[in-house]
Amino acid sequence: MSAKFDHIEVHVADIGKYCEFLVSVFEGGTFKVISESGTSMFTSPEGINIEVKHKQAEEAPIMSGFCNPCLRRLGAQQFIRSLSFAITKERKTAEGMVYFFQDHEGVTWHIKDRN
């Protein structure tokens, strides 16, 4: 039997606000509270599951492990700005531009602009 992907886990200060952010950044999806502690499960329109839990430590997120979510979409730069986030870095690649930004929890994301 092979391993099967189930979900990604994220630890944040404000679970509800982060779930609303995920709905915005994925342009849809749903979330529901799944435990008494407030842990919620977000499911994107593509079926990606993200379990949103309350973080235990107050340190800012760092770029290591799986802490750098990546999306690909047309008009990435304009989309990031429409969410009221500043682009912190840009990178030109053979496939097009990549734009980096930090969400309200300090997590770094990047969106690759599809040509």
Side-chain angles (χ1 to χ4, degrees), residues 9-61:
E9 220 173 86
V10 63
H11 298 255
V12 299
D14 187 328
I15 294 171
K17 184 175 180 180
Y18 209 77
C19 286
E20 292 291 343
F21 163 72
L22 291 171
V23 170
S24 295
V25 81
F26 282 94
E27 296 183 275
T30 60
F31 61 92
K32 64 180 179 179
V33 176
I34 60 171
S35 77
E36 292 179 14
S37 65
T39 296
S40 296
M41 184 66 75
F42 166 81
T43 302
S44 76
E46 297 83 14
I48 297 169
N49 293 308
I50 301 175
E51 186 175 8
V52 184
K53 295 182 170 188
H54 185 71
K55 68 179 176 178
Q56 302 298 313
E58 291 304 315
E59 292 85 29

